[in-house]
Coordinates of all heavy atoms in Angstrom, one line a residue:
D2 N 37.0 21.5 -19.4 CA 37.5 20.3 -18.7 C 36.9 20.1 -17.4 O 37.1 21.1 -16.5 CB 39.0 20.4 -18.6 CG 39.7 19.1 -18.1 OD1 39.2 18.0 -18.5 OD2 40.7 19.1 -17.3
I3 N 36.2 19.1 -17.1 CA 35.5 18.9 -15.8 C 36.0 17.6 -15.1 O 36.5 16.7 -15.8 CB 34.1 18.9 -15.8 CG1 33.5 17.9 -16.8 CG2 33.5 20.3 -16.3 CD1 32.0 17.7 -16.8
S4 N 35.9 17.6 -13.8 CA 36.4 16.4 -13.1 C 35.5 15.2 -13.3 O 34.3 15.3 -13.7 CB 36.5 16.7 -11.6 OG 35.2 16.9 -11.0
D5 N 36.0 14.0 -12.9 CA 35.2 12.8 -13.0 C 34.0 12.9 -12.1 O 33.0 12.3 -12.4 CB 36.1 11.6 -12.7 CG 37.2 11.3 -13.8 OD1 36.9 11.8 -14.9 OD2 38.2 10.7 -13.5
Y6 N 34.2 13.5 -10.9 CA 33.1 13.6 -10.0 C 31.9 14.3 -10.6 O 30.8 14.0 -10.4 CB 33.5 14.3 -8.6 CG 34.5 13.4 -7.9 CD1 35.8 13.9 -7.6 CD2 34.1 12.2 -7.3 CE1 36.7 13.1 -6.9 CE2 35.0 11.4 -6.6 CZ 36.3 11.9 -6.4 OH 37.2 11.2 -5.7
M7 N 32.2 15.4 -11.3 CA 31.2 16.2 -11.9 C 30.6 15.5 -13.1 O 29.3 15.6 -13.2 CB 31.8 17.6 -12.4 CG 30.8 18.6 -13.0 SD 29.5 18.9 -11.8 CE 30.3 20.4 -11.0
K8 N 31.3 14.8 -13.8 CA 30.7 13.9 -14.9 C 29.7 12.9 -14.3 O 28.7 12.7 -14.9 CB 31.9 13.2 -15.7 CG 32.7 14.1 -16.5 CD 33.8 13.3 -17.2 CE 34.7 14.3 -18.0 NZ 35.9 13.6 -18.6
T9 N 30.2 12.3 -13.2 CA 29.3 11.3 -12.5 C 28.0 12.0 -12.0 O 26.9 11.4 -12.2 CB 30.0 10.6 -11.4 OG1 31.2 10.0 -11.8 CG2 29.2 9.5 -10.7
S10 N 28.1 13.1 -11.5 CA 26.9 13.9 -11.0 C 26.0 14.2 -12.1 O 24.8 14.0 -12.0 CB 27.4 15.2 -10.3 OG 28.2 14.9 -9.2
I11 N 26.6 14.7 -13.3 CA 25.7 15.1 -14.4 C 25.0 13.8 -15.0 O 23.8 13.9 -15.3 CB 26.6 15.8 -15.5 CG1 27.0 17.2 -14.9 CG2 25.8 15.9 -16.7 CD1 28.0 17.8 -15.8
K12 N 25.7 12.8 -15.0 CA 25.2 11.5 -15.6 C 24.0 11.1 -14.6 O 23.0 10.6 -15.1 CB 26.3 10.4 -15.6 CG 25.9 9.1 -16.2 CD 27.2 8.3 -16.3 CE 26.9 6.9 -16.5 NZ 28.1 6.0 -16.6
S13 N 24.2 11.2 -13.3 CA 23.2 10.7 -12.4 C 21.9 11.6 -12.5 O 20.8 11.2 -12.5 CB 23.6 10.8 -10.9 OG 24.7 9.9 -10.7
I14 N 22.1 12.9 -12.6 CA 21.0 13.9 -12.8 C 20.2 13.6 -14.0 O 19.0 13.6 -14.1 CB 21.5 15.3 -12.7 CG1 21.9 15.7 -11.4 CG2 20.4 16.3 -13.3 CD1 22.6 17.1 -11.2
K15 N 21.0 13.3 -15.2 CA 20.2 13.0 -16.4 C 19.5 11.6 -16.2 O 18.4 11.6 -16.8 CB 21.2 12.9 -17.6 CG 21.8 14.2 -18.0 CD 22.8 14.0 -19.2 CE 23.3 15.3 -19.7 NZ 24.3 15.1 -20.8
K16 N 20.0 10.7 -15.6 CA 19.5 9.4 -15.4 C 18.1 9.5 -14.6 O 17.1 8.9 -14.9 CB 20.4 8.4 -14.8 CG 19.9 7.1 -14.6 CD 20.9 6.2 -13.9 CE 20.3 4.8 -13.6 NZ 21.4 3.9 -13.0
Y17 N 18.2 10.3 -13.5 CA 17.0 10.4 -12.6 C 16.2 11.7 -12.8 O 15.5 12.1 -11.9 CB 17.5 10.3 -11.2 CG 18.1 9.0 -10.9 CD1 19.5 8.8 -10.6 CD2 17.3 7.8 -10.8 CE1 20.1 7.6 -10.4 CE2 17.9 6.5 -10.5 CZ 19.3 6.5 -10.3 OH 19.8 5.2 -10.1
K18 N 16.3 12.4 -14.0 CA 15.6 13.6 -14.2 C 14.2 13.6 -14.0 O 13.6 14.4 -13.4 CB 15.9 14.1 -15.6 CG 15.4 15.4 -16.0 CD 15.7 15.9 -17.4 CE 15.0 15.0 -18.4 NZ 15.0 15.5 -19.7
D19 N 13.5 12.5 -14.4 CA 12.1 12.4 -14.3 C 11.7 12.3 -12.9 O 10.7 12.9 -12.4 CB 11.5 11.3 -15.1 CG 11.6 11.5 -16.5 OD1 11.6 12.7 -17.0 OD2 11.7 10.5 -17.3
Y20 N 12.4 11.5 -12.1 CA 12.1 11.3 -10.7 C 12.4 12.6 -9.8 O 11.6 13.1 -8.9 CB 13.1 10.2 -10.0 CG 12.8 8.9 -10.7 CD1 13.8 8.3 -11.5 CD2 11.6 8.3 -10.5 CE1 13.6 7.1 -12.1 CE2 11.3 7.0 -11.1 CZ 12.3 6.4 -11.9 OH 12.1 5.2 -12.5
I21 N 13.4 13.3 -10.2 CA 13.7 14.6 -9.5 C 12.6 15.6 -9.8 O 12.1 16.4 -8.9 CB 15.1 15.2 -10.0 CG1 16.2 14.2 -9.6 CG2 15.3 16.6 -9.5 CD1 17.6 14.6 -10.2
K22 N 12.2 15.7 -11.1 CA 11.1 16.6 -11.5 C 9.8 16.3 -10.7 O 9.1 17.0 -10.2 CB 10.9 16.5 -13.0 CG 9.8 17.3 -13.5 CD 9.6 17.0 -15.0 CE 8.4 17.7 -15.5 NZ 8.0 17.3 -16.8
N23 N 9.6 14.9 -10.5 CA 8.4 14.5 -9.8 C 8.3 14.9 -8.4 O 7.3 15.3 -7.8 CB 8.3 13.0 -9.9 CG 7.0 12.4 -9.4 OD1 5.9 13.1 -9.6 ND2 7.0 11.3 -8.8
T24 N 9.5 15.0 -7.7 CA 9.6 15.4 -6.3 C 9.3 16.8 -6.1 O 8.7 17.3 -5.1 CB 10.9 15.1 -5.7 OG1 12.0 15.6 -6.6 CG2 11.2 13.8 -5.3
F25 N 9.6 17.7 -7.1 CA 9.2 19.1 -7.1 C 7.7 19.3 -7.4 O 7.1 20.3 -6.9 CB 10.1 19.9 -8.0 CG 11.5 20.0 -7.5 CD1 12.5 19.4 -8.2 CD2 11.7 20.7 -6.3 CE1 13.9 19.6 -7.8 CE2 13.1 20.9 -5.9 CZ 14.1 20.3 -6.6
E26 N 7.1 18.5 -8.3 CA 5.8 18.7 -8.6 C 4.7 18.1 -7.6 O 3.6 18.6 -7.4 CB 5.4 18.0 -10.0 CG 6.2 18.7 -11.1 CD 6.0 18.1 -12.4 OE1 5.4 16.9 -12.5 OE2 6.4 18.7 -13.5
C27 N 5.1 17.0 -6.9 CA 4.2 16.4 -5.9 C 4.5 16.9 -4.5 O 5.6 17.1 -4.2 CB 4.3 15.0 -6.0 SG 3.7 14.3 -7.6
D28 N 3.5 17.0 -3.7 CA 3.7 17.3 -2.3 C 3.6 16.2 -1.3 O 3.5 16.3 -0.1 CB 2.8 18.5 -1.9 CG 1.3 18.1 -2.0 OD1 1.0 17.1 -2.6 OD2 0.4 18.8 -1.6
Y29 N 3.7 15.0 -1.8 CA 3.8 13.8 -1.0 C 5.2 13.7 -0.4 O 6.3 14.0 -1.0 CB 3.5 12.6 -1.8 CG 2.2 12.5 -2.3 CD1 2.0 12.3 -3.7 CD2 1.0 12.7 -1.6 CE1 0.8 12.3 -4.2 CE2 -0.2 12.6 -2.1 CZ -0.4 12.5 -3.5 OH -1.7 12.5 -4.1
T30 N 5.3 13.2 0.9 CA 6.5 13.0 1.5 C 6.4 11.7 2.4 O 5.3 11.3 2.8 CB 6.9 14.2 2.3 OG1 8.2 13.8 3.0 CG2 5.9 14.6 3.4
N31 N 7.4 11.0 2.6 CA 7.4 9.9 3.5 C 8.1 10.2 4.9 O 8.5 9.3 5.7 CB 8.2 8.7 2.8 CG 9.7 8.9 2.7 OD1 10.1 10.0 2.7 ND2 10.3 7.9 2.4
G32 N 8.2 11.5 5.2 CA 8.8 11.9 6.4 C 8.1 11.4 7.6 O 8.8 11.1 8.6
L33 N 6.8 11.4 7.6 CA 6.0 10.9 8.8 C 6.3 9.4 9.0 O 6.6 9.0 10.2 CB 4.5 11.1 8.6 CG 3.7 10.6 9.6 CD1 3.9 11.4 10.9 CD2 2.1 10.7 9.2
I34 N 6.4 8.6 8.0 CA 6.6 7.2 8.1 C 8.1 7.0 8.6 O 8.4 6.1 9.5 CB 6.4 6.4 6.8 CG1 5.0 6.6 6.4 CG2 6.8 5.0 7.0 CD1 3.9 6.0 7.4
E35 N 9.0 7.7 8.1 CA 10.4 7.7 8.6 C 10.5 8.0 10.0 O 11.3 7.4 10.8 CB 11.3 8.5 7.7 CG 11.4 8.1 6.3 CD 12.2 6.8 6.1 OE1 13.1 6.5 7.0 OE2 11.8 6.0 5.2
G36 N 9.8 9.0 10.5 CA 9.8 9.4 11.8 C 9.3 8.3 12.7 O 9.9 8.0 13.8
I37 N 8.3 7.6 12.4 CA 7.7 6.5 13.1 C 8.7 5.3 13.2 O 8.9 4.8 14.2 CB 6.3 6.1 12.5 CG1 5.3 7.2 12.7 CG2 5.9 4.7 13.2 CD1 4.0 6.9 12.0
N38 N 9.2 5.1 12.1 CA 10.3 4.0 12.0 C 11.5 4.3 12.9 O 12.0 3.4 13.6 CB 10.8 3.8 10.5 CG 9.8 3.1 9.7 OD1 8.9 2.4 10.2 ND2 9.9 3.1 8.4
N39 N 11.9 5.5 13.0 CA 13.0 5.9 13.8 C 12.6 5.7 15.2 O 13.4 5.2 16.1 CB 13.4 7.4 13.5 CG 14.6 7.8 14.3 OD1 15.6 6.9 14.5 ND2 14.7 9.0 14.7
K40 N 11.3 6.0 15.7 CA 11.0 5.9 17.1 C 10.9 4.4 17.4 O 11.3 4.1 18.6 CB 9.5 6.5 17.2 CG 9.5 8.0 17.3 CD 8.1 8.4 17.6 CE 8.0 10.0 17.7 NZ 6.6 10.4 17.9
I41 N 10.4 3.6 16.5 CA 10.4 2.2 16.8 C 11.8 1.6 16.9 O 12.1 0.8 17.9 CB 9.7 1.4 15.6 CG1 8.2 1.7 15.7 CG2 9.8 -0.1 15.8 CD1 7.4 1.3 14.5
K42 N 12.8 2.1 16.2 CA 14.2 1.6 16.3 C 14.8 2.1 17.6 O 15.5 1.4 18.3 CB 15.0 2.2 15.2 CG 14.7 1.5 13.9 CD 15.6 2.0 12.7 CE 15.3 1.3 11.4 NZ 16.1 1.9 10.3
V43 N 14.4 3.3 18.1 CA 14.9 3.8 19.4 C 14.3 3.0 20.5 O 15.0 2.5 21.4 CB 14.6 5.2 19.6 CG1 14.8 5.7 21.0 CG2 15.3 6.1 18.6
I44 N 13.1 2.6 20.4 CA 12.4 1.8 21.5 C 13.0 0.5 21.5 O 13.3 -0.1 22.5 CB 10.9 1.6 21.2 CG1 10.2 3.0 21.5 CG2 10.2 0.6 22.1 CD1 8.8 3.1 21.1
K45 N 13.3 -0.1 20.3 CA 13.9 -1.4 20.2 C 15.4 -1.4 20.9 O 15.7 -2.3 21.6 CB 14.1 -1.8 18.8 CG 13.5 -3.0 18.3 CD 13.6 -3.1 16.8 CE 14.3 -4.4 16.4 NZ 14.4 -4.6 15.0
R46 N 16.1 -0.3 20.7 CA 17.4 -0.2 21.2 C 17.4 0.0 22.7 O 18.1 -0.6 23.4 CB 18.1 1.0 20.6 CG 19.6 1.0 20.7 CD 20.3 2.1 20.0 NE 19.8 2.3 18.6 CZ 19.3 3.5 18.2 NH1 19.2 4.5 19.0 NH2 18.8 3.6 16.9
I47 N 16.5 0.8 23.2 CA 16.4 1.1 24.6 C 15.7 -0.2 25.4 O 16.3 -0.5 26.4 CB 15.5 2.3 24.9 CG1 16.2 3.5 24.4 CG2 15.2 2.4 26.4 CD1 15.3 4.8 24.4
A48 N 14.8 -0.9 24.7 CA 14.1 -1.9 25.5 C 14.6 -3.2 25.0 O 13.8 -4.1 24.7 CB 12.5 -1.7 25.3
F49 N 15.8 -3.4 24.9 CA 16.4 -4.6 24.4 C 16.0 -5.9 25.1 O 15.8 -7.0 24.5 CB 18.0 -4.5 24.4 CG 18.6 -5.7 23.9 CD1 18.6 -6.1 22.6 CD2 19.3 -6.5 24.8 CE1 19.2 -7.2 22.1 CE2 20.0 -7.7 24.3 CZ 19.9 -8.1 23.0
G50 N 15.6 -5.8 26.4 CA 15.4 -7.0 27.2 C 13.9 -7.3 27.2 O 13.5 -8.3 28.0
Y51 N 13.0 -6.8 26.4 CA 11.6 -7.2 26.3 C 11.5 -8.7 26.0 O 12.1 -9.2 25.0 CB 10.8 -6.4 25.3 CG 10.3 -5.1 25.9 CD1 10.3 -4.0 25.0 CD2 9.7 -5.0 27.1 CE1 9.8 -2.8 25.5 CE2 9.3 -3.8 27.6 CZ 9.3 -2.7 26.7 OH 8.9 -1.5 27.2
K52 N 10.9 -9.5 26.9 CA 10.7 -10.9 26.7 C 9.5 -11.2 25.8 O 9.4 -12.2 25.2 CB 10.6 -11.7 28.0 CG 11.9 -11.7 28.7 CD 11.8 -12.4 30.0 CE 13.1 -12.4 30.8 NZ 13.0 -13.1 32.1
S53 N 8.6 -10.3 25.8 CA 7.3 -10.5 25.2 C 7.1 -9.5 24.0 O 7.3 -8.3 24.3 CB 6.2 -10.3 26.3 OG 4.9 -10.2 25.6
F54 N 6.8 -9.9 22.9 CA 6.4 -9.1 21.8 C 5.2 -8.2 22.1 O 5.2 -7.1 21.7 CB 6.2 -9.9 20.5 CG 5.9 -9.0 19.4 CD1 6.8 -8.3 18.7 CD2 4.6 -8.9 18.8 CE1 6.5 -7.5 17.6 CE2 4.3 -8.2 17.8 CZ 5.3 -7.4 17.1
F55 N 4.3 -8.8 22.9 CA 3.1 -8.0 23.3 C 3.4 -6.8 23.9 O 2.9 -5.6 23.7 CB 2.2 -9.0 24.1 CG 1.0 -8.3 24.7 CD1 -0.1 -8.1 23.9 CD2 0.9 -7.9 26.0 CE1 -1.3 -7.5 24.5 CE2 -0.2 -7.3 26.6 CZ -1.3 -7.0 25.8
H56 N 4.3 -6.8 24.9 CA 4.8 -5.7 25.6 C 5.6 -4.7 24.7 O 5.3 -3.4 24.9 CB 5.7 -6.0 26.8 CG 5.0 -6.9 27.8 ND1 3.9 -6.4 28.6 CD2 5.3 -8.1 28.3 CE1 3.5 -7.3 29.4 NE2 4.3 -8.4 29.2
F57 N 6.3 -5.1 23.9 CA 7.0 -4.3 22.9 C 6.0 -3.6 22.0 O 6.2 -2.4 21.9 CB 8.1 -5.2 22.1 CG 8.7 -4.5 21.0 CD1 9.6 -3.4 21.4 CD2 8.6 -4.7 19.7 CE1 10.3 -2.8 20.4 CE2 9.3 -4.1 18.7 CZ 10.2 -3.1 19.1
K58 N 5.1 -4.3 21.5 CA 4.0 -3.7 20.6 C 3.2 -2.7 21.3 O 3.0 -1.6 20.8 CB 3.1 -4.8 20.1 CG 2.1 -4.3 19.1 CD 1.1 -5.3 18.7 CE 0.1 -5.5 19.8 NZ -1.1 -6.3 19.5
N59 N 2.9 -3.0 22.5 CA 2.2 -2.0 23.4 C 2.9 -0.7 23.6 O 2.4 0.4 23.7 CB 1.7 -2.6 24.7 CG 0.5 -3.5 24.5 OD1 -0.2 -3.4 23.5 ND2 0.3 -4.4 25.4
R60 N 4.2 -0.9 23.9 CA 5.1 0.3 24.1 C 5.1 1.2 22.9 O 5.1 2.4 22.9 CB 6.6 -0.2 24.4 CG 7.5 0.8 24.6 CD 7.3 1.7 25.8 NE 8.2 2.8 25.8 CZ 8.3 3.7 26.7 NH1 7.6 3.6 27.7 NH2 9.2 4.7 26.6
I61 N 5.2 0.6 21.7 CA 5.1 1.4 20.4 C 3.8 2.0 20.3 O 3.8 3.2 20.0 CB 5.4 0.5 19.2 CG1 6.8 -0.1 19.3 CG2 5.2 1.1 18.0 CD1 7.1 -1.2 18.3
L62 N 2.7 1.3 20.6 CA 1.4 1.9 20.4 C 1.2 3.1 21.4 O 0.6 4.1 21.1 CB 0.3 0.9 20.6 CG 0.2 -0.2 19.5 CD1 -0.8 -1.3 19.9 CD2 -0.1 0.4 18.2
I63 N 1.7 2.9 22.7 CA 1.6 4.1 23.7 C 2.4 5.2 23.2 O 1.9 6.4 23.3 CB 2.1 3.5 25.0 CG1 1.1 2.5 25.5 CG2 2.3 4.7 26.0 CD1 1.6 1.7 26.8
S64 N 3.6 5.0 22.7 CA 4.4 6.1 22.2 C 3.8 6.9 21.1 O 4.1 8.1 20.9 CB 5.9 5.7 21.8 OG 5.8 5.0 20.7
Q65 N 2.9 6.3 20.3 CA 2.2 6.9 19.1 C 0.9 7.4 19.5 O 0.1 7.8 18.7 CB 2.2 6.0 18.0 CG 3.5 5.5 17.3 CD 4.2 6.7 16.8 OE1 3.6 7.5 16.2 NE2 5.6 6.8 16.9
N66 N 0.5 7.3 20.8 CA -0.7 7.7 21.3 C -1.9 6.9 20.6 O -3.0 7.5 20.4 CB -1.0 9.2 21.1 CG -0.1 10.0 21.9 OD1 0.2 9.6 23.1 ND2 0.3 11.2 21.5
L67 N -1.7 5.7 20.3 CA -2.7 4.8 19.7 C -3.3 3.9 20.7 O -4.2 3.2 20.5 CB -2.1 4.0 18.5 CG -1.6 4.8 17.4 CD1 -0.8 3.9 16.3 CD2 -2.7 5.6 16.7
L68 N -2.6 3.9 21.9 CA -3.2 3.0 23.0 C -3.1 3.8 24.3 O -2.1 4.4 24.6 CB -2.3 1.7 23.2 CG -2.7 0.7 24.2 CD1 -3.9 0.1 23.8 CD2 -1.6 -0.2 24.3
K69 N -4.2 3.9 25.1 CA -4.3 4.6 26.3 C -4.0 3.8 27.5 O -4.4 2.6 27.5 CB -5.6 5.2 26.4 CG -6.0 6.2 25.2 CD -5.2 7.4 25.3 CE -5.5 8.3 24.0 NZ -4.6 9.4 23.8
L70 N -3.3 4.3 28.4 CA -3.1 3.5 29.7 C -4.3 3.7 30.6 O -4.9 4.7 30.7 CB -1.9 4.2 30.4 CG -0.5 3.9 29.7 CD1 0.6 4.7 30.5 CD2 -0.2 2.5 29.6
K71 N -4.6 2.7 31.3 CA -5.8 2.6 32.2 C -5.2 3.1 33.6 O -4.2 2.5 34.0 CB -6.5 1.4 32.3 CG -7.3 1.0 31.1 CD -8.3 0.0 31.3 CE -7.6 -1.4 31.4 NZ -8.6 -2.5 31.6
A72 N -6.0 3.9 34.3 CA -5.5 4.3 35.6 C -6.1 3.2 36.6 O -7.1 2.7 36.4 CB -6.2 5.6 36.0
V73 N -5.2 2.8 37.5 CA -5.5 1.7 38.4 C -6.1 2.1 39.7 O -5.7 3.1 40.3 CB -4.3 0.8 38.6 CG1 -4.7 -0.3 39.5 CG2 -3.8 0.2 37.3

């Protein structure tokens, strides 16, 4: 006799068995992209008052070291 939660878990594992197996066999991950998305969301939250998308985009590029600041 097992609980309904355990039955649901077993059902889900059977349903997604091939996908679960694939995650163990492949070494691909989306962690890097998720990290970049998180940084963009933080910049969006902190820099709520940006009036220009150009400035917002540049801030993202600077934080990812894709755009260098010029010394004046």
Side-chain angles (χ1 to χ4, degrees):
D2 190 38
I3 57 174
S4 69
D5 290 336
Y6 293 115
M7 186 58 91
K8 288 177 185 176
T9 304
S10 298
I11 292 170
K12 189 174 162 183
S13 296
I14 288 174
K15 286 181 180 178
K16 181 178 178 181
Y17 296 110
K18 181 177 76 171
D19 292 333
Y20 299 112
I21 295 169
K22 182 180 166 195
N23 190 35
T24 44
F25 288 114
E26 291 177 352
C27 296
D28 57 351
Y29 297 124
T30 179
N31 65 345
L33 180 65
I34 301 298
E35 291 295 328
I37 292 170
N38 285 341
N39 188 36
K40 283 183 183 179
I41 291 171
K42 286 180 183 180
V43 169
I44 291 170
K45 240 173 120 174
R46 198 173 316 124
I47 292 171
F49 179 68
Y51 276 138
K52 293 181 180 180
S53 168
F54 179 76
F55 175 76
H56 295 299
F57 177 63
K58 182 184 83 169
N59 284 342
R60 175 68 184 183
I61 292 169
L62 293 175
I63 289 168
S64 72
Q65 294 297 317
N66 293 325
L67 298 174
L68 184 68
K69 301 293 179 194
L70 294 174
K71 288 197 285 184
V73 179

